[in-house]
Amino acid sequence: MTYLAKPKLLAADAPRNALGYTRRDYEGAISTLCAGCGHDSISASVVQACFDLDVEPHKVAKLSGIGCSSKTPDYFLGNSHGFNSVHGRMPSVLTGAALANRNLIYLGVSGDGDSASIGIGQFAHAMRRGVNMTYIVENNGVYGLTKGQFSATADKGSKSKKGVINSDNPIDLVALALQLGATYVARSFSGDKEQLVPLIKGALRHNGPAFIDVISPCVTFNNHSGSTKSYDYVREHNEAVNRVEVILPRDPIETSYPAGSLRRIVQHDGSILHLRKLAVDYDPSDRIGAMNHLQERHALGEIVTGLLYVDSSGQDMHAHLNTVEKPLNQLGDAYLCPGSKALDALNALLR
Amino acid sequence: MTYLAKPKLLAADAPRNALGYTRRDYEGAISTLCAGCGHDSISASVVQACFDLDVEPHKVAKLSGIGCSSKTPDYFLGNSHGFNSVHGRMPSVLTGAALANRNLIYLGVSGDGDSASIGIGQFAHAMRRGVNMTYIVENNGVYGLTKGQFSATADKGSKSKKGVINSDNPIDLVALALQLGATYVARSFSGDKEQLVPLIKGALRHNGPAFIDVISPCVTFNNHSGSTKSYDYVREHNEAVNRVEVILPRDPIETSYPAGSLRRIVQHDGSILHLRKLAVDYDPSDRIGAMNHLQERHALGEIVTGLLYVDSSGQDMHAHLNTVEKPLNQLGDAYLCPGSKALDALNALLR
Amino acid sequence: MTNAKSIQRCNDFVIKFANVNGSGSSSANELFARAVMRMGVPVAPRNIFPSNIQGLPTWYEVRVSEAGWLGARGGCDMMVAMNPQTWDRDVASIDPGGYLFYDSTKLLPPSKFRDDITVVGVPLTAICNNEYTDARQRQLFKNVMYIGALIALLDMDFTVVETLITDRYRGKDQLIQANINALRLGYDYARTNLPCPIGLTIAPADGVGDRIFIDGNSACGLGAVYGGATVAGWYPITPSTSVIESFSSYCRKYRTDPDNGRARYAIVQAEDELASIGMVIGAGWNGARAFTATSGPGISLMQEFFGLAYFAEIPAVIVDIQRGSPSTGMPTKTQQSDLLSCAYASHGDTRHVLLFPEDPYECFTFSALAFDLAERLQTPVFVLSDLDIGMNERLCAPFDWNDERRYDRGKLMTHDELEAGKDFGRYLDVDGDGIPYRTIPGTHPTRGAFFTRGTTRNPYAKYSESGADYVYNMERLRRKFDSAKTLVPAPVLQSASQPTRYGAIHFGSTAPAMAEASALLEADGIHVDTLRVRGFPFCDEILQFIADHEQVFVVEQNESGQLRSMLINEGEIDPKRLIRVLHYDGSPITARFIAGRIADALSDRKISPLRKVAL
Amino acid sequence: MTNAKSIQRCNDFVIKFANVNGSGSSSANELFARAVMRMGVPVAPRNIFPSNIQGLPTWYEVRVSEAGWLGARGGCDMMVAMNPQTWDRDVASIDPGGYLFYDSTKLLPPSKFRDDITVVGVPLTAICNNEYTDARQRQLFKNVMYIGALIALLDMDFTVVETLITDRYRGKDQLIQANINALRLGYDYARTNLPCPIGLTIAPADGVGDRIFIDGNSACGLGAVYGGATVAGWYPITPSTSVIESFSSYCRKYRTDPDNGRARYAIVQAEDELASIGMVIGAGWNGARAFTATSGPGISLMQEFFGLAYFAEIPAVIVDIQRGSPSTGMPTKTQQSDLLSCAYASHGDTRHVLLFPEDPYECFTFSALAFDLAERLQTPVFVLSDLDIGMNERLCAPFDWNDERRYDRGKLMTHDELEAGKDFGRYLDVDGDGIPYRTIPGTHPTRGAFFTRGTTRNPYAKYSESGADYVYNMERLRRKFDSAKTLVPAPVLQSASQPTRYGAIHFGSTAPAMAEASALLEADGIHVDTLRVRGFPFCDEILQFIADHEQVFVVEQNESGQLRSMLINEGEIDPKRLIRVLHYDGSPITARFIAGRIADALSDRKISPLRKVAL
Ligand SMILES: Cc1ncc(C[n+]2csc(CCOP(=O)(O)OP(=O)(O)O)c2C)c(N)n1
Ligand SMILES: Cc1ncc(C[n+]2csc(CCOP(=O)(O)OP(=O)(O)O)c2C)c(N)n1
Ligand code: SF4
Ligand code: SF4
Ligand SMILES: [Mg+2]
Ligand SMILES: [Mg+2]
């Protein structure tokens, strides 16, 4: 609670990353969310991922919409600029920010109401436009901040805390992201940091639109039986297709693994994704296959998690626009203003 | 052109349908669209479909957004109430209309810009809500009325009249409709009335959200080579999976066909869809399979047309809401107002 | 331990409960307020809560006033300090001579207290811990327990609270017993260990009469049921959400078909506000009475659709529960700051009909009326309530309904009229009131169908780009708006005890504070006639009132004086004659504030508004 | 065949071309207007077009005025009637004594003509058909051909048009020849078969000077380039689309990196207006100069975001090309009716900065200026142009730019200042102008980062629900808005030839008509000082002007007198002193209309506005 001053003392031996930062340097204000809210675990995972990747906090821009989930950027990366915009419109605001400075890391945080209900249009278009960002939806199937109404990701037939049965078809944001052109698509569970942290790391190092749908139970309004977004339900129906490990160029040369069990994907920035296959034989480079698998399992009530699709060759929005290397927000007057001579010449043509 | 008075004379022997109406009774104002615009052919198909089905014109409500396509409801069914609402918002207006009176036939007409760009959110939510309607998108890949900018359905790599190459991923409304819960999903081509008319008829008789994506070339801004929405391109890449015939209960008992070649689907209202398989062996009751087929062929540059998916057992929005049979807009005061006694009782509880 | 100059008051004080959000205290606090009411003493409770679900501070302020003043008073005579987070400010906020009630289980250093207040400690946690094992129970019953203690301390009637509990949990006997026991524990502890009563007491009175106790949003929902609304398209947003919750629960109660259990209504949670208002407009176009409820951000998002409904002339009802703005602003605080964005909503020249309820009674009445006006005028009608009215229970006149009353569907052309060949021009002014006839889709097989659009058209609804058609339409819309003047509720005049040159105009939730302020001013010999505006467009009485007074104060809960701007513009009033009295920090306006401002203005004659505070 | 009382005028008449939409006539007509300009005669062309792509009627009205009046005049001295659909109204619209030019290929009954006009027939179709085989060619060259005939009839300089064609198709010699031949065909036919010149003639003059000929939207796009805009998020909508088309073509020309051909700008066609403004706000937050261009419906859709940018204090530029409203209204007609929805955009109490360009020169200048103001004031800045300025070519002063000028980035806290430990309160008023310092994301590793939000926060950008923090912020925003008064362009005063008690206030595209109206009135001995408002908030000169005149006419192109309302509210002006002169049928306002209204008002002294036409 922001009302309690945050303890400042820090263990002298707290581990430091390559930049000399401790985990604490990646934390933010103290959370005001309900005790046990899945969103807080996601915040912790973001902190861990950024610490592990030696991200410079001020090189990250964190943007969100409105909702409990959208509040979380206040609770991590206190040294990063943040923007809690308006409900459902984070994608456009982030797109604009990304246009202004291609050199920052863009982290968009949203909720299922924020992205699948009011924000579905902006979500869809940010994906198809190839915005270079990590887009995390903290998906609890309800509107937490307005006290538990169904959101558009609530499964058909699932029961609300008040006992209402949802009769609308659910929107599967992962399926949409796959269809609309996201080049890094994953699903995870706030209760499984081991899976989530590497997925976030991979996304932060990915070039292009990276989408992660994180099932994140709302303990206050959607953690009862009959809900398909409760801790229990997700634990029981979680089907992880793979485990990811992110290897940075500067990391020690990896030891060899039994062939087949491991898949190695080199990303645009040189980072390497190691995918260890689990249960099913799953090919994360086959977009249509991924959609197919997803839908079939969903029909069986299973929640497919892991890195579902990755295309490390994709181009991002700036490539499409062929913009200069230097961030647009850093171009000086001389680069922008054609000056009076050009104007005189133009005037001449207009007579 | 509305400026030219419409010729009123009518051949005495003009064919009449069961209601005694001629085709003319299903026409509207004279089109102001460009000569050759695909949209006009769709209007003609709507007229034909309604004539064939003996639809009572005043029992149809036609709604649209804004655009050349959205103007067309003015050019057919002159005896139906029409509503040219605001850009991209037809689905919500139609949903409200459908809530008010469950007994009319709802025909929503939109464009690709109207539905896939500004309107994608309302499109998605109308589908998942199960609104009982026929939703036709007159898809030309551009914004016609604003002079030819790319819309969100323009294929990646396709060329604009001005020579610009589209770098964004396309939105495939059919794929979305399938994913979001439409129970009747088809794609057709304005140039193929033979295919289009029965698809519209089937949709009008379908219970639940019926979506038809009609590729409808914009002769003025998107009919050049390099466009994937031109008459030539669509003719060359059109892959029809089946042909539909709509049999009304009152029609003569059908003759038998060689098994396998024909599929018979009885709709909620007793009408029967006869699907004659074409080229591929295609199962229109397999939603996931349909999506798969669609995506695979799209990857090959083909445009899959026909009745792609139909589920005649689906429930519509009114079923979900368990509303009374009588249209809400016809319930009298007595049915709506609890009256003073109830109020007195309530007051007592509030003291 | 009671000290000399401690406050001594009966049936006239403010008691405030400081709690933690989500700790279940609200139902206990509400129990207290109801008990006061049941004892016949007017009470006005107010929630002060954060934009958060759990863990942050909340306050419940209860004003006890036998005189019947229901506006916020300000100050605090007794603080029930249950939230350690806010202890310091809570203690500091007690009026000198006031009382502090706290959980004395943990010992606190004297520095944590004040010596000019009376401190009353009850070891609530201790008692709970040896009574209950379950953590949640300990939490919940602690709340009930302090109510018990208060009953003793304030000399209230124990049985009244008992009955309340019995009524509330009717059927759940165990719950009833458990609660009454907790209540008793607190009561007994106080009686035996504390000097009861303290200086603040509640004595039976008959100041309540037949009034009812309900929040404005519930009343709006009920009003929509009585007004014949069958379609609601909505999107959750604080503080409007409970309007729809109320509508749906009353619909379940009153609109479920007895024969087959089916619904005579349809409520759809839309994907956003654009879709909500779109559904309302579609339903209105198709002849159903439809509405939505929202707040500021929703009003902004609906602007384009408002313009369509205005120009295409489609009935629609919008209930706007105003909150702290602009932008996300202060979502859980109150304000009256959406007047301009509703009155002139959408681009271009528009004017919209507004209704300003003062309390739950008018929330009910005006919500029902709005549907008649919307169909009569074929235009959007806005019910402008606010968080203060909407989310707090308020004593108000009992709801009433005249069973003779029939819904006014407005100018609807029927099948038979069309059949008889009656001329139908959808946008034709047939009788000078600017209101045309309309047809509902499906009315007649071959006549009466028309094409609705947001573009210009001729009186027969044919598309037109002619300037003459456009001007005809705009002038007709203007006439129509004038016709609305006599249809919206007339203003309410409250004359001072003697003729005066001074007047005050106010509206909505400012009413109780204004009434009390007038009394305070009268006491100081300052006489002010007050006029409560209840609708827009403004009828002549309002302009006459301004003409009749030399100086008119316009009392509002916004920063720029929005009603004043509208009065000046619509009434062609010289701004100099209208003096702003503006309160806009998100807390409900108080009589002390209003009286103070008016007195100052009249005393030091600084009555002409300064340029820098122009709209 | 020329009849007695036919109009005889040189360099002072209106000629109108009636064509069919999409028939390629516009470029030919434009050629004609340019030719007049090249002959040194001021010319003011206006397109009158439908909301349609092909087949509906369009008109191109060219006012030739050596006196230099560029406003619409009304009436028509010569009609070039090329559209059978509209023949009757076109013929009827010619002033008595005027001229009718038509395609005489098909014989028309005398009933189709008037005997009080001079009819000039050229068998265009016939000539074309035996000259060209291809249908499209026949269509296109017919247009060029009637221009050729007009050159002869109006006694214009053939070589001027030849050169224009040569310039236009430079490099495409075949096209040049083909066009000149067609031109020649028409010219020769007229010379040999018709009495040339007719009563209307164009003689060389030097009334044009160094002025340039361009449309306002192109100028806005160019202004954005000079203003340093690097990001544009937009959504197509008439009449604003060409602003972005211009911006992108000028960017390609001036902002392509010479070394690698890469873009020093980013233009994204968004999915809708909410996304457009969202992108602009995101880019502005991140330190780039960003803008969008839209029209009424877009302004309505952007309302919520405007409130966010206002309250979170983010620079943004919005170019609004106003059109006929409300709703879809008259999308291809002009109006000045978005003032209120921009000035007080979004729910709650807000005030926004507006700029009112009068012509392409100011479209350029103000568009560039807007970016400095947006960053200096950290708020949205609106450039309010309209269809009349935006989509018609207009003679205006040549663009100029001072190379010494540097972009004003406003109060930006730098890395070094932060490093040096300078106190940074994002919402702290450090020097009384109400404008706080901001940091751009990425500025400093450990200092200067803050969390931007639309909710209330304290001066150090920490989340807050405190009323005091809210009020501090609102008062600071008010101070900030006052600071803007001296930053927006000052009004332009045009004094009458002698001291007068009457004044007229106007803005934007009304300027040329107002200037001409003053002259007309002066001629009748009515003297009116005029003041052209160029920005909002209103500076003191404007209020002084009102104070200095007994009666002030406020001339606007909207139905409710929106600028007048703003003047009354912001300036605390007695409405009685401001008289509405409103023209709003979608056609550009004329001097005749303004002068007529003012003369009437002053003559029959009906000068106090009537209640019924209040805002
Ligand atoms: C325009 C607008 N409409 C409605 C709201 C109210 N509102 C705030 S948060 C929210 C839903 C949040 O749901 P979700 O995105 O799933 O976040 P969660 O709280 O569940 O994490 C709503 C409807 C708003 N702030 N703005
Ligand atoms: C809010 C809003 N924004 C923009 C416009 C301008 N506009 C009119 S039609 C249109 C696009 C139409 O494209 P589409 O839906 O594909 O229809 P088409 O003309 O291609 O048939 C646009 C952007 C508008 N009318 N309203
Ligand atoms: S309401 Fe739900 S989503 Fe919001 S903070 Fe509490 S648990 Fe989390
Ligand atoms: S512009 Fe294109 S879509 Fe519009 S009417 Fe013409 S051909 Fe049809
Ligand atoms: Mg959620
Ligand atoms: Mg299109």
Side-chain angles (χ1 to χ4, degrees), chain B residues 6-18:
Chain B
K6 185 170 177 176
K8 273 267 149 285
L9 34 83
L10 166 67
D13 59 354
R16 297 180 176 278
N17 64 13

Side-chain angles (χ1 to χ4, degrees), chain B residues 39 69 111-113 138-144 151:
Chain B
H39 300 352
S69 36
D112 44 314
E138 306 188 341
N139 185 353
N140 55 18
V142 292
Y143 293 174
S151 81

